[in-house]
Amino acid sequence: MSDAFQWLYSDVVKEHFTNPKNVFDPDEKFEADAEGLVGNVKCGDQMLFLIKIRDDVITDLRWKTYGCASAIASTSMLSEVVKGMGIREAYGIKPADIARRLGGLPENKIHCSVLGDKALRAAIDSWLDKRGRSGEFAGEDAVVICSCLGITDKDIEQAVKDGARSWEQLQEATKIGTVCGGCKGRAQELLHEYVHIFGD
Amino acid sequence: MQQRFVYMDYNATTPLRPEVKELMVRDLEVYANASSMHEAGRRARAGIEAARASVAALIGARDPQELYFTSGGSESNNTVFGTMYELGRGRAPSVGRYRAEGRRKVITTAIEHPCVMNAARRLADEGFPVVFLPVDGQGRVDLARLEAELDPSRSEGGPTLLVSVMAANNEIGTVEEIARIALMAKAAGALVHTDATQAVGKIPVDVHAWGVDYLTLSCHKIYGPKGVGALYARSGAPLEPLVRGGHQEQGVRAGTYNNLGILGFGLAAELARRDLPEFSARLRALRERLREGIVARIPQVRVNGHPTEVLPNTLNASFPGAEGESILLSLDMEGIEVSTGSACASGSLEPSHVLMATGVGPELAHGSIRFSLGRDTTEEEVEYVLDKLPPIIARLRRMSTVSAEIRSA
Ligand SMILES: Cc1ncc(COP(=O)(O)O)c(C=O)c1O
Ligand code: FES
C-alpha cells in the first residue's frame, strides 16, 4: 500500500501536518501585538503570523497558511519552538534548524518551509517598527545574505570555521542558495573572503 | 493503520486486469526470440502478430502492419517527432514516402504531455518553427488559431510539416476535435499525429474516422503491463527509427521483442475493445455522481475541463483556499489516491501547464485535484470519497490565509 507520507516525509512532519499547533482559529478572539504576512497565493504559498510580545518575549502566537504539507508542518514546529522565546533569538531561527527538528525535509521541499520564518521575522519587524526600534536585529551585526533562508554573514563565517571550504560544502552546511539562488554571487564572495581569513 | 485503499489515479497508470495477468503468468516461460526461424521462434512470432491484430482492431486500423510496437507512449511520440526532424532537414525517410519540400513548421498545443512538449521544444532548439496552440477555458484547441497557423500567408514559419494534437488530455480529460483538426491539416498538406494515450479504451478511437497519419497509444493505461506501447503509422507514411539496430518492426524499431509485454498488450487491447461501451457508460455515471457530490457538498469548487466533451473517467476540480499537495496527502491518509496540479507536488515551482493554459490562474491550478476512475472503481468508493473530502477541504481552508476571502466571496 502506498503511503505518500512514508517516503516523502518523516513521522514528525506527518504529526505536525495532521495536528498543527497554534493555528489561528477565526472564532477565537486572538489579539495580536503584531502580524507579518508574506508570500503570495499565486506562487502557491502564503503565510500569516500573529504574535503577542511582553518584555521582548513572544508570549503567544498564531499562524495561518495557504501552503503544502511542508509549509504547514514547518510553521507548526516553528511556532512551538519560538513560543516563550525572546524576540532576538526567535529572529535568528533558521529554516534549517526547523527542518532538522522535523527529522529532515526532502530537498525540493526546503523552499516551501522558509515562509514561516519569513512571516515571523516580518511580524517582529513590524512590532519593532511600531516602537521606533526599526531594524534592531536585522542591521546591527549580522547581515542577512540569503533572504530565502535567513542566512547571515555570521552563519557563513561559522560554517567556514566549522570546515566548509567550497560552495558545495557551504551549501551542505547551511542550504544557502537552494531556494531562489539569488544570493549565490554575494555568498560566494563572502565564502572566499572567510576561507581566506580562517582557512588553513 | 489505513482502513481503506481507494485508487483514483487510473490516468497515471492502471493495474493489470486479471485476465491479462493470468495470460502473462502462463506465458512467463515463453522465451524464444520471435525473430528466430525455428519452431519456438515462429510460435512466439505468431503470438506477437495476433497481438498486433488486436491492437489494430482497437483503433480501427485495417492493416496490422501499420502498427509498430514500442516501449510506450513516450517512445511512440518521440518517434514521430524524430521523423519530422529528418524530414525537415530535407532527408528522405527510411520507411515510407514523403517529400517535405521545404515544410518545417510543426504545430502542437500548449497542453500536451511532457513527452510531446519536450520533443517539440527540441525541434524548436534545432531551428524548426514550432507553435504551441492555445486552448480555451475548457481545454479545447483554438481552431481559428490553427486555421491561421496553417496558412502561410497569415502566419510565420512557412508551410506546415506536422500537426500534433492529443486526442484527450491526461489532466483535465478534455477530448479534442481530432477529425476536424485532421481535415484542416490535410487541406494544408500537413501530416497529422494524435497522442491518443489517454483516449484509447475510454472513448471510441478510429484512425480512419479521425483521418490521422500517426497515432500513439500505451498499454499501461488500458490495464496491461508497463513498458509497452504502439505507434500507428498509416501505410506509406514516413518513418525514421528512433532505435536503430536489427530489422524488427519493419526496420522502424530495433530490439528483441518484448514477448510477454506484447502478448499482454494484445489481450488488454482485445478486452478494452469488447468492454468499451459498457465500461465508458458505467464510468461516466460514477464520474457524474462524484462531480455532483463534490459540487453539492463543498462550497466554491471549480470543475476544470470541458463539461461534456470529457473522458468518462476524469474529473479535475479546484478548491480555492486549499493547496493541492495538502489535499492530496490528506486524502492519502484516508487511503484515497489522487493526483494534483500543484507545483508543490511535482517538485517544480510551476503549477500544471495544462491548467495554466486553460487560464484558470495559478491559485486554482495550485488547488487542483484530479480524480481518475477506472475498472475497479465502485459506487461505494465514490461515496467514501464524498464523505472524506469535504472535511479535508474545510480543515485546510480554515487554516488558510485565503479563507476569509473564500467566506466573503
Ligand atoms: C497523454 C499521454 N501521453 C503519453 C504518455 C506517456 O506514456 P508512457 O508512460 O507509456 O511512455 C502518457 C502517460 O502518462 C500520457 O498520459
Ligand atoms: S536568497 Fe533565495 S536562495 Fe538565498
Side-chain angles (χ1 to χ4, degrees), chain B residues 2 65 99 117 121 192 225 291 298 397:
Chain B
Q2 267 175 17
Q65 297 309 307
R99 301 271 302 278
M117 285 295 210
R121 284 191 194 112
V192 187
R291 190 190 61 77
I298 302 174
R397 280 180 172 172

Side-chain angles (χ1 to χ4, degrees), chain B residues 37-377:
Chain B
M37 233 155 78
H38 47 63
E39 160 73 18
R42 289 201 306 275
R43 223 174 322 118
R45 181 67 192 224
I48 285 171
E49 294 315 315
R52 197 186 307 278
S54 299
V55 175
L58 177 64
I59 60 166
R62 293 187 191 124
D63 181 358
Q65 297 309 307
E66 295 177 310
L67 276 125
Y68 301 88
F69 288 118
T70 65
S71 66
S74 300
E75 186 188 325
S76 298
N77 287 335
N78 274 279
T79 302
V80 172
F81 280 78
T83 300
M84 297 308 129
Y85 176 67
E86 295 298 327
L87 297 178
R89 295 194 313 158
R91 303 267 186 95
S94 298
V95 174
R97 294 167 305 276
Y98 192 77
R99 301 271 302 278
E101 282 163 348
R103 292 177 182 268
R104 284 162 56 80
K105 183 172 182 176
V106 171
I107 302 176
T108 182
T109 81
I111 61 167
E112 298 295 315
H113 188 271
C115 60
V116 167
M117 285 295 210
N118 289 330
R121 284 191 194 112
R122 163 113 178 101
L123 288 182
D125 289 346
E126 294 292 340
F128 284 62
V130 176
V131 174
F132 294 93
L133 291 175
V135 297
D136 66 15
Q138 299 170 336
R140 281 219 150 174
V141 169
D142 183 341
L143 296 188
R145 180 68 190 279
L146 173 61
E147 184 91 63
E149 291 293 346
L150 284 167
D151 182 351
S153 69
R154 289 164 65 202
S155 59
E156 310 213 319
T160 301
L161 176 60
L162 177 78
V163 173
S164 174
V165 175
M166 69 197 323
N169 182 268
N170 43 309
E171 292 187 31
I172 55 178
T174 298
V175 174
E176 302 295 343
E177 299 170 274
I178 300 302
R180 279 185 70 184
I181 290 167
L183 212 59
M184 291 163 69
K186 288 278 131 190
L191 293 163
V192 187
H193 167 243
T194 185
D195 175 1
T197 303
Q198 292 290 345
V200 167
K202 296 175 190 143
I203 58 172
V205 171
D206 187 306
V207 290
H208 294 288
W210 284 355
V212 295
D213 298 296
Y214 306 100
L215 180 142
T216 289
L217 70 161
S218 180
C219 173
H220 73 99
K221 310 282 187 189
I222 60 164
Y223 308 90
K226 303 183 207 320
V228 58
L231 174 63
Y232 159 85
R234 173 186 49 77
S235 169
L239 279 173
E240 190 61 35
L242 194 65
V243 180
R244 291 167 200 278
H247 34 243
Q248 294 90 351
E249 297 302 274
Q250 305 169 62
V252 168
R253 207 292 189 167
T256 299
Y257 283 103
N258 170 8
N259 298 5
L260 200 57
I262 293 170
L263 293 180
F265 192 7
L267 182 56
E270 188 185 321
L271 297 172
R273 177 159 169 265
R274 186 196 72 191
D275 293 350
L276 179 65
E278 181 265 330
F279 172 77
S280 65
R282 196 178 78 81
L283 283 190
R284 197 170 287 281
L286 289 172
R287 176 195 186 271
E288 259 323 275
R289 173 71 199 118
L290 184 61
R291 190 190 61 77
E292 280 168 8
I294 287 175
V295 170
R297 295 184 199 186
I298 302 174
Q300 300 203 33
V301 175
R302 182 189 198 279
V303 175
N304 301 309
H306 200 282
T308 54
E309 299 308 308
V310 63
L311 290 174
N313 77 318
T314 308
L315 179 69
N316 190 306
S318 290
F319 304 92
E323 191 277 330
E325 193 218 46
S326 289
I327 304 171
L328 180 147
L329 291 171
S330 303
L331 286 169
D332 188 57
M333 286 191 280
E334 301 290 356
I336 301 164
E337 318 268 316
V338 298
S339 70
T340 170
S342 158
C344 264
S346 68
S348 75
L349 292 173
E350 297 301 321
S352 155
H353 71 285
V354 174
L355 285 165
M356 293 301 285
T358 67
V360 299
E363 299 184 41
L364 289 168
H366 281 293
S368 70
I369 293 290
R370 176 186 72 186
F371 302 88
S372 50
L373 319 186
R375 275 192 76 241
D376 299 322
T377 306

Side-chain angles (χ1 to χ4, degrees), chain A residues 1-4 9 17-18 20 23 25 27 41-44 46 48 64-69 72 108-109 111-112, chain B residues 2 5 321-323 325-326 329-330 332-333 337 344 347 349 362-363 366-367 395-396 398-403:
Chain A
M1 190 165 302
S2 116
D3 182 342
Y9 296 123
F17 173 66
T18 322
V23 174
D25 175 349
D27 299 331
V41 179
K42 293 193 170 38
C43 304
Q46 188 177 51
L48 175 70
K64 283 159 82 99
T65 189
Y66 172 85
C68 64
I72 291 173
N108 62 5
K109 287 281 161 185
H111 85 266
C112 308
Chain B
Q2 267 175 17
F5 180 66
E323 191 277 330
E325 193 218 46
S326 289
L329 291 171
S330 303
D332 188 57
M333 286 191 280
E337 318 268 316
C344 264
L349 292 173
E363 299 184 41
H366 281 293
R395 180 182 97 94
L396 293 173
R398 205 175 157 80
M399 66 165 91
S400 169
T401 46
V402 287
S403 55

Side-chain angles (χ1 to χ4, degrees), chain A residues 26-132:
Chain A
D27 299 331
E28 168 200 33
K29 296 275 167 280
F30 187 82
E31 303 218 349
D33 296 318
E35 59 178 73
L37 177 68
V38 296
N40 184 330
V41 179
K42 293 193 170 38
C43 304
D45 44 15
Q46 188 177 51
M47 183 74 65
L48 175 70
F49 235 99
L50 306 165
I51 50 178
K52 285 191 197 194
I53 299 177
R54 290 285 168 277
D55 303 326
D56 281 12
V57 168
I58 297 175
T59 55
D60 205 358
L61 74 177
R62 294 291 182 274
W63 58 273
K64 283 159 82 99
T65 189
Y66 172 85
C68 64
S70 287
I72 291 173
S74 315
T75 311
S76 170
M77 176 60 91
L78 174 70
S79 72
E80 287 289 273
V81 171
V82 299
K83 199 192 266 191
M85 190 180 261
I87 49 177
R88 178 181 297 266
E89 195 186 346
Y91 201 90
I93 295 267
K94 302 275 176 287
D97 302 337
I98 299 300
R100 239 188 320 275
R101 285 173 189 264
L102 287 170
L105 283 173
E107 198 68 24
N108 62 5
K109 287 281 161 185
I110 300 281
H111 85 266
C112 308
S113 69
V114 306
L115 224 52
D117 310 63
K118 279 192 175 175
L120 173 63
R121 281 198 295 276
I124 295 175
D125 277 335
S126 111
W127 187 83
L128 290 173
D129 285 348
K130 278 189 257 171
R131 279 153 194 81

